C-alpha cells in the first residue's frame, strides 16, 4: 500500500502541476486581456469626454419671444442660466444705484453688451450656496426687495442688474461669456 501511495503521489503531483501551469497561463492571458481593456478604455473615455465637452461648450437660445419684463431659463453646461429682457424702469432702477456702494461693485453697463443694456444674461445660481433664485419666469412674481431675483434658500436679494443687494450671497449673479446674433444668444 505504501508503495502504491509513493507511485500515486507523483502522478497526482504532476496532474496538479499541469493544472497550475494551465491556471497560470490562463491567468496571464486574462491579465493581458485586462491590460488591453485598461489601455483601450481611457482612450474611449477621453474620446467620449471630448465629445461631451464639445456638445456642452456652448448653448444657443432664441430670445425673440421674451417680452420686456420677462425672463427665461436655459441650461448651460448643466447649470441654469437666466436671460432677461429688462423693462425701461428696471434699467433705470439699476442705473440710479451708486455702483461703488455695492457689495460687488458693477454697473449694469459692465454686466451687459453695448447696445443691449436691456438684455441681462446671468447664471441662475445663487452665489451663496448655489440655489436657483426665483425670477420673472414660471409664473413667479416674487422678485425680492430690489425687483431682480430672490433666492429663497437663505434670503438673498438681487437687483435688476443681478447684483447682490441684501442677504448672505457674497457676489453678483455671474455673467457668462456670450455673444448676441440677432435674436439668438450664444452662451459659452
Ligand atoms: S443659496 Fe441663495 S441665499 Fe443661500
Amino acid at each position: 500500500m505504501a508503495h502504491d501511495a509513493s507511485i500515486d503521489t507523483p502522478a497526482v503531483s504532476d496532474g496538479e502541476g499541469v493544472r497550475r501551469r494551465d491556471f497560470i497561463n490562463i491567468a496571464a492571458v486574462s491579465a493581458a486581456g485586462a491590460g488591453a481593456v485598461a489601455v483601450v478604455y481611457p482612450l474611449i473615455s477621453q474620446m467620449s469626454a471630448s465629445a461631451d465637452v464639445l456638445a456642452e461648450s456652448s448653448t444657443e437660445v432664441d430670445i425673440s419671444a421674451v417680452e420686456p419684463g420677462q425672463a427665461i431659463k436655459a441650461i448651460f453646461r448643466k447649470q441654469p442660466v437666466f436671460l432677461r429682457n429688462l423693462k425701461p424702469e428696471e434699467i433705470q432702477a439699476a442705473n440710479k444705484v451708486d455702483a461703488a456702494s455695492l457689495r460687488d461693485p458693477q454697473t449694469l453697463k459692465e454686466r451687459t453688451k453695448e447696445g443691449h443694456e436691456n438684455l441681462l444674461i446671468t447664471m441662475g445660481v445663487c452665489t451663496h450656496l448655489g440655489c436657483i433664485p426665483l425670477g420673472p419666469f414660471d409664473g413667479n412674481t416674487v422678485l425680492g426687495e430690489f425687483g431682480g431675483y430672490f433666492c429663497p434658500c437663505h434670503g438673498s436679494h438681487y437687483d435688476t442688474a443681478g447684483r447682490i443687494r441684501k442677504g448672505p450671497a457674497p457676489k453678483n449673479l455671474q455673467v457668462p461669456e456670450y455673444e448676441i446674433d440677432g435674436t439668438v444668444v450664444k452662451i459659452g
Side-chain angles (χ1 to χ4, degrees):
M1 293 293 288
H3 177 73
D4 287 343
S6 68
I7 291 170
D8 288 343
T9 301
V12 170
S13 180
D14 280 345
E16 284 180 355
V18 169
R19 283 198 292 275
R20 277 200 200 98
R21 279 196 299 277
D22 286 349
F23 174 76
I24 288 165
N25 286 339
I26 290 164
V29 169
S30 298
V37 169
V39 168
V40 169
Y41 178 73
L43 290 176
I44 294 171
S45 176
Q46 279 174 11
M47 286 162 67
S48 62
S50 301
D52 286 351
V53 168
L54 277 177
E56 293 177 1
S57 61
S58 65
T59 296
E60 290 194 7
V61 185
D62 185 347
I63 54 163
S64 56
V66 185
E67 300 289 333
Q70 294 181 339
I72 55 172
K73 280 188 288 189
I75 298 295
F76 171 55
R77 293 179 185 163
K78 296 183 181 172
Q79 294 193 313
V81 59
F82 298 159
L83 299 97
R84 180 161 174 170
N85 188 356
L86 297 170
K87 294 186 284 190
E89 53 267 42
E90 291 173 329
I91 295 172
Q92 285 167 14
N95 285 337
K96 75 179 182 193
V97 177
D98 177 11
S101 69
L102 300 178
R103 186 179 303 172
D104 184 8
Q106 271 188 322
T107 63
L108 177 62
K109 194 174 178 183
E110 290 169 332
R111 293 172 56 75
T112 53
K113 298 281 189 201
E114 192 172 355
H116 298 276
E117 203 180 24
N118 63 310
L119 190 55
L120 179 69
I121 298 174
T122 64
M123 299 307 297
V125 179
C126 181
T127 60
H128 181 222
L129 293 176
C131 286
I132 302 174
L134 301 172
F137 38 67
D138 299 336
N140 173 60
T141 55
V142 178
L143 303 179
E145 291 182 23
F146 300 87
Y149 297 96
F150 174 65
C151 181
C153 286
H154 312 95
S156 283
H157 299 252
Y158 296 89
D159 68 12
T160 53
R163 299 172 298 195
I164 183 62
R165 299 291 296 277
K166 185 178 177 183
K171 306 286 283 181
N172 301 334
L173 293 179
Q174 183 195 345
V175 176
E177 292 289 324
Y178 67 90
E179 299 293 334
I180 301 171
D181 183 7
T183 61
V184 174
V185 177
K186 184 178 178 185
I187 306 165

